[in-house]
Amino acid sequence: LLLPTIPRGVHPHMFRRSKATYLYQHGMALEQVSTLLGHSQLETTRCYAKPSLQQLRTVIEKITPKSDQDQQPLWQGREDEIARRLGLR
């Protein structure tokens, strides 16, 4: 069955994967997404639902000691020198 409003390369599995990723990235626990999809193994769900960059950033910020967060990057204010040392200039 071909529908003129759905592109030829789009398949139902793409909708399933997109919805799983959307739910996970918007706060649904991976275990809940797994149950919703009917997966018996959580690892299967991990193939579907990928974390967003913001999710990764939030987790990294939570586990990074406060003292490390307050430090200025070593290259800040020395971008030209760092670029020269790396052979970029």
Side-chain angles (χ1 to χ4, degrees):
L1 175 69
L2 291 176
L3 298 174
T5 57
I6 299 177
R8 201 175 254 290
V10 174
H11 302 282
H13 188 75
M14 296 169 125
F15 290 112
R16 180 177 168 88
R17 180 179 292 257
S18 295
K19 188 64 172 183
T21 299
Y22 176 84
L23 292 171
Y24 180 56
Q25 290 182 355
H26 287 83
M28 184 178 268
L30 193 60
E31 294 81 4
Q32 294 170 324
V33 175
S34 184
T35 300
L36 182 68
L37 295 176
H39 293 159
S40 58
Q41 299 290 321
L42 191 58
E43 289 305 313
T44 305
T45 310
R46 288 191 210 289
C47 295
Y48 278 79
K50 303 294 183 191
S52 67
L53 290 178
Q54 184 57 46
Q55 283 176 297
L56 295 174
R57 179 177 288 121
T58 300
V59 169
I60 289 171
E61 287 173 355
K62 282 183 183 178
I63 64 171
T64 302
K66 183 71 172 140
S67 60
D68 289 353
Q69 291 177 7
D70 293 339
Q71 291 182 359
Q72 292 291 336
L74 296 175
W75 62 85
Q76 196 164 16
R78 300 171 48 201
E79 289 86 353
D80 289 335
E81 178 187 347
I82 298 296
R84 185 181 52 77
R85 288 185 181 202
L86 294 173
L88 300 174
R89 295 203 178 138

